[in-house]
Amino acid sequence: MTGETTSRTGFTTERLRRARFAVAAVFCVHGAVTGSFATRIPWIQEHAGVGAGQLGLALAFPAVGASLAMPLAGAISHRFGARNALRGLLALWTAALILPSLAPNVYGLCAALLVYGATAGMSDVAMNALGVETENRLGKSIMSSLHGMWSAGALIGSAAGTVAAHLGTDARLHHVLAAGVLTVLGLVCCQGVLDLHSAPDEEPPPRFTLPPRSALVIGAIGFCGVFAEGASLDWSAVYLEDELGASAGLAAGCTTAFALTMTVARLAGDRVVDRFGPVRTVRVGGAAATLGGVLVVLAPHPAVAMAGFGLMGLGVAVVVPLAFAAAARSGPNPSQAIAGVATITYTSGLIAPSAIGGIADATSLTFSFGLVTLLAVGLVLGAGVLRPGGRGTAKAVVAESVPDPR
């Protein structure tokens, strides 16, 4: 090695930096699939001939598929190694983008979205586990910026989908082209991630198991953050328009601003976490989200509510990445713990929009966001469970497929 330092984990610092950029690119590709799909939902709904109620039912199937399949990710990584597992699972996810636009009816759409969600969940667990391992070896926080790259990818995919929809492009053609490009990009990016294999004497994780208790406690924090995020993304525009009389354009702009706020906060969040630690960061974030919720509930004018939603976005932005990082350090099996937290957060994201709507029907939308504010208070009170127990990595040995020339 010519002047290159080697970390205590056996990797050169340059190799770890390359691995960080590679896994960040994987997160971006993963997010781009979601953005590409979301913008073409109206086309898919019309093509499949489904009504609003049937579409709502079908859109529950990605979360069902993810929850069922995520526990498998640990066993796949154990058998094939982290890099090969991620390469295969990410390729399945990018290819699954094609399926929903091919669905001829509601039954085909439900089946397509079940597969879509299953591949999303497994690749999500694999890339988060590798992200945590890379973070551990670097010795500094990177999970927030990785999730920021996911959000950036979702914005890029959404932008491309918006252009395709504006041009009247058939979603089948759009998604075939997008899947092809993203599959190639994903395979290239995966080549640079760390190639980690389980120790020879390590028992393979069970294919299906209940989440460990530590994941349930940490997942509760993730649940609060994702619920507030999902409620704000799906209902902020409706809140401004129905409760405060904002124009449709201003209401839509609030949703876009909220998404951009979260992306920027996640990209910048690692420096904050490294300086103040995950517990203090989430407590302050929870306080900001609580203040934002109060502004939303008491807002006399759309501008005040928009400021409130912005504070909520800033406050909850780093909760999920820090929950994944804490889960991976909570026990000997990072993939199993991450799968447990991911299942809880996926469930939160699934029920948040419908729960807000149901509560609003029974009471009011203002009351619904009062409950969201209480969940933000939960972040302040429960942040202590994210306290790291050390940066030791899980049982794994390094097996570089190509020797590092340095």
Side-chain angles (χ1 to χ4, degrees):
M1 302 197 184
T2 57
E4 183 67 62
T5 59
T6 303
S7 73
R8 60 183 175 81
T9 57
F11 290 105
T12 64
T13 54
E14 178 61 26
R15 177 70 185 91
L16 289 173
R17 281 195 293 267
R18 293 202 305 269
R20 175 184 180 174
F21 291 134
V23 75
V26 167
F27 271 75
C28 188
V29 168
H30 196 284
V33 177
T34 300
S36 299
F37 165 71
T39 52
R40 305 313 304 270
I41 289 176
W43 189 98
I44 292 169
Q45 178 184 9
E46 182 179 355
H47 176 71
V50 301
Q54 291 177 319
L55 178 63
L57 173 64
L59 289 176
F61 275 76
V64 174
S67 298
L68 292 174
M70 279 189 293
L72 292 172
I76 294 171
S77 295
H78 177 89
R79 179 171 181 179
F80 298 104
R83 180 191 290 170
N84 287 333
L86 180 61
R87 183 186 290 131
L89 293 173
L90 187 65
L92 289 175
W93 163 234
T94 53
L97 174 61
I98 300 170
L99 298 179
S101 62
L102 301 178
N105 51 45
V106 65
Y107 303 107
L109 184 58
C110 289
L113 290 177
L114 185 73
V115 175
Y116 174 87
T119 56
M122 289 190 293
S123 55
D124 189 281
V125 170
M127 72 183 188
N128 273 285
L130 254 176
V132 172
E133 291 291 350
T134 305
E135 176 179 90
N136 288 339
R137 286 163 169 76
L138 281 167
K140 61 181 181 180
S141 176
I142 66 169
M143 288 302 292
S144 179
S145 62
L146 292 183
H147 282 254
M149 288 298 293
W150 188 96
S151 297
L155 288 173
I156 292 170
S158 297
T162 300
V163 171
H166 181 72
L167 295 175
T169 306
D170 189 305
R172 291 168 294 190
L173 175 61
H174 166 209
H175 284 166
V176 166
L177 293 176
V181 171
L182 292 173
T183 299
V184 172
L185 288 176
L187 291 174
V188 172
C189 296
C190 287
Q191 191 58 34
V193 303
L194 297 180
D195 190 17
L196 305 174
H197 292 265
S198 300
D201 60 344
E202 184 179 345
E203 289 292 325
R207 288 182 173 84
F208 291 99
T209 184
L210 292 175
R213 182 176 299 178
S214 60
L216 294 176
V217 176
I218 295 168
I221 295 297
F223 181 95
C224 293
V226 172
F227 195 99
E229 177 184 348
S232 299
L233 279 173
D234 287 356
W235 286 95
S236 58
V238 177
Y239 189 90
L240 260 69
E241 198 166 348
D242 291 356
E243 300 292 318
L244 300 173
S247 66
L250 183 63
C254 179
T255 301
T256 302
F258 179 85
L260 287 172
T261 298
M262 287 204 64
T263 301
V264 172
R266 282 176 170 172
L267 290 173
D270 289 324
R271 292 183 181 180
V272 178
V273 174
D274 279 334
R275 181 169 182 178
F276 299 106
V279 175
R280 189 179 301 176
T281 299
V282 171
R283 279 183 178 152
V284 173
T290 301
L291 176 59
V294 171
L295 289 178
V296 168
V297 171
L298 300 180
H301 188 274
V304 178
M306 290 180 72
F309 282 118
L311 280 173
M312 290 181 70
L314 286 173
V316 304
V318 300
V319 173
V320 171
L322 290 180
F324 281 143
R329 290 191 288 264
S330 67
N333 193 320
S335 292
Q336 182 183 348
I338 289 174
V341 170
T343 300
I344 296 169
T345 56
Y346 267 70
T347 302
S348 179
L350 171 64
I351 69 173
S354 58
I356 292 295
I359 295 170
D361 281 341
T363 55
S364 69
L365 200 50
T366 300
F367 184 82
S368 295
F369 274 98
L371 295 180
V372 172
T373 304
L374 290 178
L375 289 178
V377 174
L379 295 175
V380 179
L381 299 177
V385 303
L386 303 180
R387 182 171 287 107
R391 288 192 177 271
T393 59
K395 299 179 193 174
V397 295
V398 178
E400 290 278 47
S401 56
V402 180
D404 194 316
R406 301 180 190 276

